[in-house]
Amino acid sequence: MELNAGKVLGQKALIKAMQQIPYSVKRDKFFMAVFRAAAKPIIQAARSNINNDEGDLKRSIKAFSTRASRRLPALYVGPKATGGSAKKNEQRGGGFYGAMVEYGTAHSQPHPFMRPAWESKQSQAGDILLLGAKQIVEKVLKRELAGQKRIYV
């Protein structure tokens, strides 16, 4: 799942609110903070949808960004194979087999956990995105108008 304000939600109000932030402020940091807050209910729902797991797959469900997604900005939500320099899948955590559980394999039936989580929590995530963006815009504009020291530059 990818949380991207323009792509997933299509909320003109969110985009309009974020455009009010002055150019001297790093908008991407704000977007990422709001995206991470909006991803929390989806992560919790996905973790609760996983059955018969020893905990590796549940722990691997995270909100993360990649080098390419930080340019948009965007945030991915789902199983992440961690362990950077790990050579074997067992050392990477449970994220490497998340797709096999979600979509199934030739030998096992699919047991979706991400799609139901996204479908059940999408509206809640959208509300969090919109509320978070409004709060950030109000906070930044208040500081700019008051002439206070800029923290987010």
Side-chain angles (χ1 to χ4, degrees):
M1 299 297 133
E2 181 179 341
L3 292 179
N4 184 327
K7 188 174 181 180
V8 173
L9 295 178
Q11 296 284 343
K12 292 180 183 178
L14 174 65
I15 295 168
K16 188 176 180 180
M18 293 306 277
Q19 288 174 344
Q20 293 178 8
I21 297 176
Y23 284 108
S24 61
V25 176
K26 292 185 178 179
R27 298 178 190 182
D28 294 351
K29 288 187 179 183
F30 290 123
F31 272 119
M32 296 308 275
V34 172
F35 287 164
R36 287 192 189 284
K40 287 181 182 180
I42 298 169
I43 292 170
Q44 290 171 350
R47 286 179 178 168
S48 68
N49 288 342
I50 297 174
N51 299 325
N52 302 329
D53 182 48
E54 295 162 1
D56 289 341
L57 182 58
K58 286 183 181 183
R59 280 192 301 272
S60 74
I61 297 175
K62 299 175 182 174
F64 59 94
S65 61
T66 62
R67 191 175 306 154
S69 70
R70 282 189 287 271
R71 285 185 222 136
L72 294 176
L75 190 71
Y76 294 97
V77 177
K80 181 180 179 191
T82 57
S85 62
K87 302 290 182 202
K88 297 180 181 178
N89 282 336
E90 294 82 29
Q91 297 170 343
R92 291 182 166 267
F96 78 94
Y97 65 89
M100 292 183 259
V101 174
E102 178 82 13
Y103 301 111
T105 64
H107 303 288
S108 67
Q109 294 295 318
H111 298 286
F113 58 94
M114 287 304 302
R115 176 58 65 180
W118 171 249
E119 290 172 353
S120 67
K121 299 295 181 179
Q122 183 178 6
S123 63
Q124 185 179 358
D127 295 341
I128 293 170
L129 276 175
L130 196 55
L131 181 66
K134 286 180 181 179
Q135 289 174 345
I136 289 170
V137 169
E138 290 172 4
K139 190 176 187 179
V140 169
L141 291 177
K142 186 186 289 185
R143 284 187 182 149
E144 289 289 323
L145 293 174
Q148 294 178 351
K149 182 179 176 184
R150 297 179 189 156
I151 296 175
Y152 300 107
V153 178

